[in-house]
Amino acid sequence: MKRCSWVGASEKMIAYHDTRWCKPEHRENELFAMLILEGAQAGLSWQTIIEKEENYREAFDGFDPVKVAAYDEEKISLLMKNEGIIRNRLKICAAVTNARAFLKVQEEFGTFDAYIWSFTDGKVIDHHLSDVSEMPATSPLSEEVSKDLKKRGFKFVGPTIIYSYLQGIGVINDHVADCDFR
C-alpha cells in the first residue's frame, strides 16, 4: 500500500493516516477531541500526541466538552500529575477554555459541526498534492478560521494548528495523489 511519506512506521500513526486523517468528521466529541489534541501538539510532533491519545481520552473524560468545561483547579492539578499526557499547564487550561467556547459555538450554531464546516459550505478542500513537500503549513482558510476562533475565546488555535486541525477533521484533504488512502 502507498501512503503519504510523513506517516512513518508507528502502528498508531499508520492507523491515524489510513482511517482518520483528511476524512470528513462530523461527530461533535471527535471535533472537540481533535481541537484539544491539535492544541496539545503545539511545539511537539504529531506522533507524540497520537502515541498518547488514549491517555488523553481517559484523562479528559472521553473528550466530552460539557465535562471538560466544568473542570476546576483541583482537576487541572490532577491532570498536571498525569504522566500519560503532555503536562503543560497552559495547554491543559486551554482545553478547559476551549471546551467552554466550544459549548458557546454549539449554542449559537446548533452544532460545532455546522460552524466549522460553514467555512467551506460543507465542501472538502482537496489540494491534489503530488508530494508532501507541496503541503502548506497555513492557508487563507486556516487564517480565517483561526481568527474567528480566537475572537470566540479559543486558545492554541493559531493558523498552523488550525491548518492541521482542518486536515485532521477532513475539511482539507492533503493526501498525495498516489496515496491509496486518498
Side-chain angles (χ1 to χ4, degrees), residues 103-171:
L103 295 175
K104 287 180 184 172
V105 168
Q106 286 180 322
E107 285 176 24
E108 182 179 345
F109 290 85
T111 62
F112 190 84
D113 180 64
Y115 163 76
I116 200 68
W117 283 91
S118 72
F119 287 93
T120 62
D121 293 324
K123 295 178 178 69
V124 173
I125 306 299
D126 193 337
H127 288 137
H128 299 283
L129 306 176
S130 56
D131 187 80
V132 294
S133 65
E134 298 172 1
M135 192 181 306
T138 65
S139 69
L141 175 62
S142 74
E143 290 170 13
E144 177 187 2
V145 174
S146 170
K147 184 177 178 180
D148 196 71
L149 288 168
K150 286 177 183 177
K151 181 181 82 180
R152 295 172 183 282
F154 286 83
K155 305 290 183 203
F156 282 90
V157 291
T160 302
I161 289 172
I162 293 305
Y163 190 87
S164 185
Y165 176 69
L166 295 172
Q167 290 172 314
I169 64 168
V171 172

Side-chain angles (χ1 to χ4, degrees), residues 40-111:
Q41 187 230 344
L44 303 169
S45 74
W46 185 241
Q47 182 168 343
T48 298
I49 301 305
I50 285 297
E51 295 296 331
K52 294 178 177 287
E53 181 179 6
E54 288 309 311
N55 297 332
Y56 268 93
R57 286 187 184 279
E58 185 177 325
F60 284 87
D61 292 298
F63 292 116
D64 180 334
V66 173
K67 290 180 180 177
V68 176
Y71 287 1
D72 57 12
E73 189 55 45
E74 183 180 341
K75 177 64 175 184
I76 291 168
S77 293
L78 282 173
L79 289 169
M80 286 296 295
K81 295 174 186 168
N82 186 330
E83 295 180 7
I85 66 170
I86 305 303
R87 294 176 291 169
N88 177 302
R89 186 169 187 78
L90 289 175
K91 291 178 181 182
I92 291 169
C93 289
V96 178
T97 297
N98 289 351
R100 294 172 183 158
F102 189 92
L103 295 175
K104 287 180 184 172
V105 168
Q106 286 180 322
E107 285 176 24
E108 182 179 345
F109 290 85
T111 62

